[in-house]
Amino acid sequence: MPRKFGEIAFTPEVQAAQEQRGSRQMYERYIANGPNNDSITPKIEEFIAQLDGFYLGTVSSNGYPYIQFRGGSPGFLKVLDEKTLGFADFTGNVQYITVGNLSGNDKAFLFLMDYRHRKRIKIWGTAEYVEDNPALIERLRDSDYSAEVQGAILFHVEATSENCPQHIPIRYSETEVAAMMAPLQARIAELEQQLGDKPLA
């Protein structure tokens, strides 16, 4: 069975470019012999649960791609089943570019990046904007985030692909840095206390 992402990403134009540059035969074998990779595996679900942000791509009616960053507490992007992801849509800059794009073209793309562990996953699929489903919105709501939820975005998975870590810079979030520094700060405080308790000569 061919890898689903190859069916989507390797358009005739891409295949022609591969043929011209000598990589087409390699990718034909890669596609023919690989698994489908068309659903969310437990491994990918575990990866998603740790993310505090991702990039969402849509396509406008004039053919231009649009990419935006979505951020939140780890786990705000939720796996609803092996074929469906979802997240709450909060009031933002009220441009509604993603919402408008999805109303005319439901093709969408997720770029999931973990800078700390130098890992990235690409997900192709379709997406829809949902406003009239209180039960779904409540399921996707982050109880620790007080912003108003306007709706939800459901992402229907068609293909996934994991990339090699080459050229991914290692970066840490403020929360990760604080967690790494906490034992050092505690030790510094302990040593300062010990020094303070010693009598002056």
Coordinates of all heavy atoms in Angstrom, one line a residue, residues 124-191:
W124 N -1.5 16.1 6.8 CA -2.3 16.6 5.7 C -3.8 16.2 6.0 O -4.0 15.1 6.6 CB -2.0 16.0 4.3 CG -0.7 16.5 3.7 CD1 -0.5 17.4 2.8 CD2 0.6 16.0 4.0 NE1 0.8 17.5 2.4 CE2 1.5 16.7 3.1 CE3 1.2 15.0 4.9 CZ2 2.9 16.5 3.2 CZ3 2.5 14.8 4.9 CH2 3.4 15.5 4.0
G125 N -4.7 17.0 5.5 CA -6.1 16.6 5.7 C -7.1 17.7 5.3 O -6.7 18.6 4.5
T126 N -8.2 17.6 5.9 CA -9.2 18.7 5.7 C -9.7 19.2 7.0 O -9.5 18.5 8.0 CB -10.5 18.2 4.9 OG1 -11.1 17.1 5.7 CG2 -10.1 17.7 3.5
A127 N -10.2 20.4 7.1 CA -10.6 21.0 8.3 C -12.0 21.7 8.2 O -12.3 22.1 7.1 CB -9.6 22.0 8.8
E128 N -12.7 21.8 9.2 CA -13.9 22.5 9.3 C -14.1 23.3 10.5 O -13.5 23.0 11.6 CB -15.1 21.5 9.2 CG -15.1 20.5 10.3 CD -16.3 19.6 10.3 OE1 -17.5 20.1 10.1 OE2 -16.1 18.3 10.3
Y129 N -14.8 24.5 10.3 CA -15.0 25.3 11.5 C -16.4 25.1 12.0 O -17.4 25.0 11.3 CB -14.9 26.8 11.1 CG -14.9 27.8 12.2 CD1 -13.7 27.9 13.0 CD2 -16.0 28.5 12.6 CE1 -13.7 28.7 14.1 CE2 -16.0 29.4 13.7 CZ -14.8 29.5 14.4 OH -14.8 30.3 15.5
V130 N -16.5 24.8 13.3 CA -17.8 24.4 14.0 C -18.2 25.5 15.0 O -17.4 25.8 15.9 CB -17.7 23.0 14.6 CG1 -19.0 22.6 15.3 CG2 -17.2 22.0 13.6
E131 N -19.4 26.0 14.9 CA -19.8 27.0 15.9 C -21.1 26.6 16.7 O -21.3 27.1 17.7 CB -20.2 28.3 15.1 CG -19.0 29.0 14.5 CD -19.3 30.3 13.8 OE1 -19.8 30.2 12.7 OE2 -19.1 31.4 14.4
D132 N -21.8 25.6 16.1 CA -23.1 25.3 16.7 C -23.1 23.9 17.4 O -24.1 23.2 17.3 CB -24.2 25.3 15.6 CG -23.8 24.4 14.5 OD1 -22.7 23.9 14.5 OD2 -24.7 24.3 13.5
N133 N -22.0 23.6 18.1 CA -21.9 22.3 18.8 C -21.4 22.5 20.2 O -20.2 22.4 20.4 CB -21.0 21.3 18.0 CG -21.1 19.9 18.5 OD1 -21.3 19.7 19.7 ND2 -20.9 19.0 17.6
P134 N -22.3 22.9 21.1 CA -21.8 23.2 22.5 C -21.1 22.1 23.2 O -20.1 22.3 23.9 CB -23.1 23.6 23.2 CG -24.1 24.0 22.2 CD -23.7 23.2 21.0
A135 N -21.5 20.9 22.9 CA -20.9 19.7 23.5 C -19.4 19.6 23.1 O -18.5 19.3 23.9 CB -21.6 18.4 23.3
L136 N -19.2 19.7 21.8 CA -17.8 19.6 21.2 C -17.0 20.8 21.7 O -15.8 20.6 22.1 CB -17.9 19.7 19.7 CG -16.5 19.8 19.0 CD1 -15.7 18.5 19.2 CD2 -16.7 20.0 17.5
I137 N -17.5 22.0 21.7 CA -16.8 23.1 22.2 C -16.4 23.0 23.6 O -15.2 23.3 24.1 CB -17.6 24.4 22.0 CG1 -17.7 24.7 20.5 CG2 -16.9 25.6 22.7 CD1 -18.6 25.9 20.1
E138 N -17.3 22.4 24.5 CA -17.0 22.2 25.9 C -15.9 21.2 26.0 O -15.0 21.3 26.9 CB -18.2 21.8 26.6 CG -18.1 21.8 28.1 CD -17.7 23.1 28.7 OE1 -18.2 24.2 28.2 OE2 -17.0 23.2 29.7
R139 N -15.9 20.2 25.2 CA -14.9 19.1 25.2 C -13.5 19.6 24.9 O -12.5 19.2 25.4 CB -15.3 18.0 24.2 CG -14.4 16.8 24.2 CD -14.8 15.7 23.2 NE -13.9 14.6 23.2 CZ -14.1 13.6 22.3 NH1 -15.1 13.6 21.5 NH2 -13.2 12.6 22.3
L140 N -13.5 20.6 24.0 CA -12.2 21.2 23.6 C -11.7 22.4 24.4 O -10.6 22.8 24.3 CB -12.3 21.6 22.1 CG -12.6 20.5 21.1 CD1 -12.7 21.1 19.7 CD2 -11.5 19.4 21.1
R141 N -12.6 22.9 25.2 CA -12.3 24.1 26.0 C -11.1 23.8 27.0 O -11.1 22.7 27.6 CB -13.5 24.5 26.8 CG -13.3 25.8 27.6 CD -14.5 26.1 28.5 NE -15.7 26.1 27.7 CZ -16.2 27.3 27.2 NH1 -15.5 28.4 27.3 NH2 -17.3 27.3 26.5
D142 N -10.3 24.8 27.2 CA -9.2 24.7 28.3 C -9.8 25.4 29.5 O -9.9 26.6 29.5 CB -8.0 25.3 27.8 CG -6.8 25.2 28.8 OD1 -7.1 24.8 29.9 OD2 -5.7 25.6 28.4
S143 N -10.0 24.6 30.6 CA -10.6 25.2 31.8 C -9.7 26.2 32.4 O -10.2 27.0 33.2 CB -11.0 24.1 32.8 OG -9.8 23.3 33.1
D144 N -8.4 26.2 32.2 CA -7.4 27.1 32.8 C -7.2 28.3 32.0 O -6.4 29.2 32.3 CB -6.1 26.4 33.0 CG -6.2 25.2 33.9 OD1 -7.0 25.3 34.9 OD2 -5.4 24.2 33.7
Y145 N -8.0 28.5 30.8 CA -7.8 29.6 30.0 C -9.2 30.3 29.9 O -10.1 29.7 29.5 CB -7.3 29.2 28.6 CG -6.9 30.3 27.7 CD1 -6.0 31.3 28.1 CD2 -7.4 30.4 26.4 CE1 -5.6 32.3 27.3 CE2 -7.0 31.4 25.6 CZ -6.1 32.4 26.0 OH -5.7 33.4 25.2
S146 N -9.2 31.6 30.3 CA -10.5 32.3 30.5 C -11.0 33.0 29.2 O -12.1 33.6 29.2 CB -10.3 33.3 31.6 OG -9.3 34.3 31.3
A147 N -10.2 33.0 28.1 CA -10.7 33.7 26.9 C -11.9 33.1 26.4 O -12.2 31.9 26.5 CB -9.6 33.6 25.8
E148 N -12.7 33.9 25.7 CA -14.0 33.4 25.1 C -13.7 32.5 23.9 O -12.9 32.7 23.0 CB -14.8 34.7 24.6 CG -16.1 34.3 24.0 CD -16.8 35.5 23.3 OE1 -16.3 36.6 23.5 OE2 -17.8 35.3 22.7
V149 N -14.5 31.4 24.0 CA -14.4 30.4 22.9 C -15.5 30.7 21.9 O -16.7 30.8 22.2 CB -14.6 29.0 23.4 CG1 -14.5 28.0 22.2 CG2 -13.5 28.6 24.4
Q150 N -15.0 31.0 20.6 CA -16.0 31.3 19.6 C -16.5 30.1 18.8 O -17.6 30.1 18.3 CB -15.3 32.3 18.5 CG -15.0 33.6 19.1 CD -14.6 34.6 18.0 OE1 -15.2 35.6 17.9 NE2 -13.7 34.2 17.2
G151 N -15.7 29.1 18.7 CA -16.0 27.9 18.0 C -14.9 26.8 18.1 O -14.2 26.9 19.1
A152 N -14.9 25.9 17.2 CA -13.9 24.9 17.2 C -13.5 24.6 15.8 O -14.2 24.8 14.9 CB -14.5 23.6 17.9
I153 N -12.3 24.1 15.7 CA -11.8 23.6 14.4 C -11.5 22.1 14.5 O -10.8 21.7 15.4 CB -10.5 24.4 14.0 CG1 -10.9 25.8 13.6 CG2 -9.9 23.7 12.8 CD1 -9.7 26.7 13.2
L154 N -12.2 21.4 13.6 CA -11.9 19.9 13.5 C -11.0 19.7 12.3 O -11.3 20.2 11.2 CB -13.2 19.2 13.4 CG -14.2 19.2 14.5 CD1 -15.4 18.4 14.2 CD2 -13.5 18.6 15.8
F155 N -10.0 18.9 12.6 CA -9.0 18.5 11.5 C -9.2 17.0 11.3 O -9.0 16.2 12.1 CB -7.6 18.9 11.9 CG -6.6 18.7 10.8 CD1 -6.2 19.8 10.1 CD2 -6.1 17.5 10.5 CE1 -5.3 19.7 9.1 CE2 -5.2 17.4 9.5 CZ -4.8 18.5 8.8
H156 N -9.5 16.7 10.0 CA -9.7 15.3 9.6 C -8.4 14.8 8.9 O -8.1 15.3 7.8 CB -10.9 15.2 8.7 CG -12.2 15.7 9.3 ND1 -12.8 15.1 10.3 CD2 -12.8 16.9 9.1 CE1 -13.9 15.8 10.7 NE2 -13.9 16.9 10.0
V157 N -7.8 13.8 9.5 CA -6.5 13.4 9.1 C -6.5 12.5 7.8 O -7.3 11.6 7.8 CB -5.8 12.6 10.2 CG1 -4.4 12.0 9.8 CG2 -5.6 13.5 11.5
E158 N -5.7 12.8 6.9 CA -5.6 12.0 5.7 C -4.2 11.4 5.5 O -4.1 10.3 5.0 CB -5.9 12.8 4.4 CG -7.3 13.3 4.4 CD -7.7 14.0 3.1 OE1 -6.8 14.1 2.2 OE2 -8.7 14.6 3.0
A159 N -3.2 12.0 6.0 CA -1.8 11.5 5.9 C -0.9 12.2 6.9 O -1.1 13.3 7.3 CB -1.3 11.7 4.5
T160 N 0.1 11.4 7.4 CA 1.1 11.9 8.3 C 2.5 11.6 7.8 O 2.7 10.6 7.1 CB 0.9 11.3 9.7 OG1 1.3 10.0 9.7 CG2 -0.5 11.5 10.2
S161 N 3.5 12.4 8.2 CA 4.9 12.1 7.8 C 5.8 12.7 8.9 O 5.6 13.8 9.3 CB 5.2 12.7 6.5 OG 6.6 12.6 6.2
E162 N 6.7 11.9 9.4 CA 7.7 12.3 10.4 C 9.0 12.6 9.6 O 9.4 11.9 8.7 CB 7.9 11.2 11.4 CG 6.7 10.9 12.3 CD 7.0 10.0 13.4 OE1 8.1 10.1 14.0 OE2 6.2 9.1 13.6
N163 N 9.6 13.7 10.0 CA 10.8 14.2 9.3 C 12.0 13.9 10.2 O 11.9 13.9 11.4 CB 10.7 15.7 9.0 CG 9.8 15.9 7.9 OD1 8.7 16.4 8.1 ND2 10.2 15.6 6.7
C164 N 13.2 13.9 9.5 CA 14.4 13.7 10.3 C 14.7 15.0 11.0 O 14.2 16.1 10.6 CB 15.6 13.4 9.3 SG 16.0 14.7 8.2
P165 N 15.6 15.0 12.0 CA 15.8 16.2 12.9 C 16.9 17.1 12.3 O 17.2 18.1 12.9 CB 16.3 15.6 14.2 CG 17.0 14.3 13.8 CD 16.1 13.8 12.6
Q166 N 17.4 16.8 11.1 CA 18.5 17.6 10.6 C 18.1 19.1 10.5 O 17.0 19.4 10.0 CB 18.9 17.1 9.2 CG 20.1 17.8 8.7 CD 20.6 17.2 7.3 OE1 19.8 16.5 6.7 NE2 21.8 17.5 6.9
H167 N 18.9 20.0 11.0 CA 18.8 21.4 10.9 C 17.7 22.0 11.8 O 17.5 23.2 11.8 CB 18.4 21.9 9.5 CG 19.5 21.4 8.5 ND1 20.8 21.7 8.6 CD2 19.3 20.8 7.3 CE1 21.5 21.2 7.6 NE2 20.6 20.6 6.7
I168 N 17.1 21.2 12.7 CA 16.1 21.7 13.7 C 16.9 22.3 14.8 O 17.7 21.5 15.5 CB 15.1 20.7 14.1 CG1 14.3 20.1 13.0 CG2 14.2 21.2 15.2 CD1 13.3 19.0 13.4
P169 N 16.8 23.5 15.1 CA 17.6 24.1 16.3 C 16.9 23.6 17.6 O 15.7 23.5 17.7 CB 17.5 25.6 16.1 CG 16.2 25.8 15.4 CD 16.0 24.6 14.4
I170 N 17.8 23.4 18.6 CA 17.2 23.1 19.9 C 16.8 24.3 20.6 O 17.6 25.2 20.8 CB 18.2 22.3 20.8 CG1 18.6 21.0 20.1 CG2 17.7 22.0 22.2 CD1 19.7 20.2 20.8
R171 N 15.5 24.4 21.0 CA 15.0 25.6 21.7 C 14.2 25.1 22.9 O 13.5 24.1 22.8 CB 14.2 26.5 20.8 CG 15.0 27.1 19.7 CD 14.2 27.9 18.7 NE 15.0 28.5 17.7 CZ 14.5 29.0 16.6 NH1 13.2 29.0 16.3 NH2 15.4 29.6 15.7
Y172 N 14.2 25.9 23.9 CA 13.4 25.6 25.1 C 12.4 26.7 25.4 O 12.7 27.9 25.2 CB 14.3 25.4 26.3 CG 15.3 24.3 26.2 CD1 16.5 24.5 25.7 CD2 14.9 23.0 26.7 CE1 17.4 23.4 25.5 CE2 15.8 22.0 26.5 CZ 17.1 22.2 26.0 OH 17.9 21.1 25.9
S173 N 11.2 26.3 25.9 CA 10.2 27.3 26.2 C 10.6 27.9 27.6 O 11.4 27.4 28.3 CB 8.8 26.7 26.3 OG 8.7 25.8 27.4
E174 N 9.9 29.0 27.9 CA 10.1 29.6 29.2 C 9.8 28.6 30.4 O 10.5 28.6 31.4 CB 9.3 30.9 29.3 CG 9.5 31.7 30.6 CD 8.7 32.9 30.7 OE1 8.0 33.2 29.7 OE2 8.7 33.6 31.7
T175 N 8.7 27.9 30.2 CA 8.3 26.9 31.2 C 9.4 25.8 31.4 O 9.7 25.4 32.5 CB 7.0 26.3 30.8 OG1 6.0 27.3 30.7 CG2 6.5 25.3 31.9
E176 N 9.9 25.3 30.2 CA 11.0 24.3 30.3 C 12.2 24.8 31.0 O 12.9 24.1 31.8 CB 11.3 23.8 28.9 CG 10.1 23.0 28.3 CD 10.3 22.7 26.8 OE1 11.0 23.5 26.1 OE2 9.8 21.7 26.3
V177 N 12.6 26.0 30.6 CA 13.8 26.6 31.2 C 13.6 26.8 32.8 O 14.5 26.5 33.6 CB 14.2 28.0 30.6 CG1 15.3 28.7 31.4 CG2 14.6 27.8 29.1
A178 N 12.4 27.2 33.1 CA 12.1 27.4 34.6 C 12.2 26.1 35.3 O 12.8 26.0 36.4 CB 10.8 28.0 34.8
A179 N 11.7 25.0 34.7 CA 11.8 23.7 35.3 C 13.2 23.2 35.5 O 13.6 22.6 36.5 CB 11.0 22.7 34.5
M180 N 14.1 23.5 34.5 CA 15.5 23.1 34.5 C 16.3 23.9 35.6 O 17.2 23.4 36.2 CB 16.1 23.2 33.2 CG 15.6 22.1 32.2 SD 16.5 22.2 30.6 CE 15.9 23.7 29.9
M181 N 15.9 25.2 35.7 CA 16.6 26.1 36.6 C 16.2 25.9 38.1 O 16.9 26.2 39.0 CB 16.4 27.5 36.2 CG 17.0 27.9 34.9 SD 18.8 27.8 35.0 CE 19.2 29.1 36.2
A182 N 15.0 25.3 38.3 CA 14.5 25.2 39.7 C 15.4 24.5 40.6 O 15.7 25.0 41.8 CB 13.1 24.6 39.7
P183 N 16.0 23.3 40.3 CA 16.9 22.7 41.2 C 18.1 23.5 41.5 O 18.6 23.6 42.6 CB 17.2 21.4 40.5 CG 16.1 21.1 39.6 CD 15.7 22.5 39.1
L184 N 18.6 24.2 40.5 CA 19.8 25.0 40.7 C 19.5 26.2 41.6 O 20.3 26.6 42.5 CB 20.3 25.6 39.3 CG 20.8 24.5 38.3 CD1 21.1 25.1 37.0 CD2 22.0 23.7 38.9
Q185 N 18.4 26.8 41.4 CA 18.0 28.0 42.2 C 17.8 27.5 43.7 O 18.1 28.2 44.6 CB 16.7 28.6 41.7 CG 17.0 29.3 40.3 CD 15.7 29.9 39.7 OE1 14.6 29.3 39.9 NE2 15.8 30.9 38.9
A186 N 17.2 26.3 43.8 CA 17.0 25.8 45.2 C 18.4 25.6 45.9 O 18.5 25.8 47.1 CB 16.2 24.5 45.1
R187 N 19.3 25.0 45.1 CA 20.7 24.8 45.7 C 21.4 26.1 46.0 O 22.0 26.2 47.1 CB 21.5 24.0 44.6 CG 22.9 23.6 45.1 CD 22.9 22.9 46.4 NE 24.3 22.5 46.8 CZ 24.6 22.1 48.0 NH1 23.7 22.2 49.0 NH2 25.9 21.8 48.2
I188 N 21.2 27.1 45.2 CA 21.8 28.4 45.4 C 21.3 29.0 46.7 O 22.0 29.5 47.6 CB 21.6 29.3 44.3 CG1 22.5 28.9 43.1 CG2 22.0 30.8 44.6 CD1 22.2 29.6 41.8
A189 N 19.9 28.9 46.9 CA 19.3 29.4 48.1 C 19.8 28.7 49.3 O 20.0 29.3 50.4 CB 17.8 29.3 47.9
E190 N 20.0 27.3 49.2 CA 20.4 26.5 50.3 C 21.9 27.0 50.7 O 22.2 27.1 51.9 CB 20.4 25.1 49.9 CG 21.0 24.1 51.0 CD 21.0 22.7 50.5 OE1 20.5 22.4 49.4 OE2 21.6 21.9 51.2
L191 N 22.7 27.2 49.7 CA 24.1 27.6 50.0 C 24.2 29.0 50.6 O 25.0 29.3 51.5 CB 24.9 27.5 48.7 CG 25.2 26.1 48.1 CD1 25.9 26.2 46.8 CD2 26.0 25.3 49.1

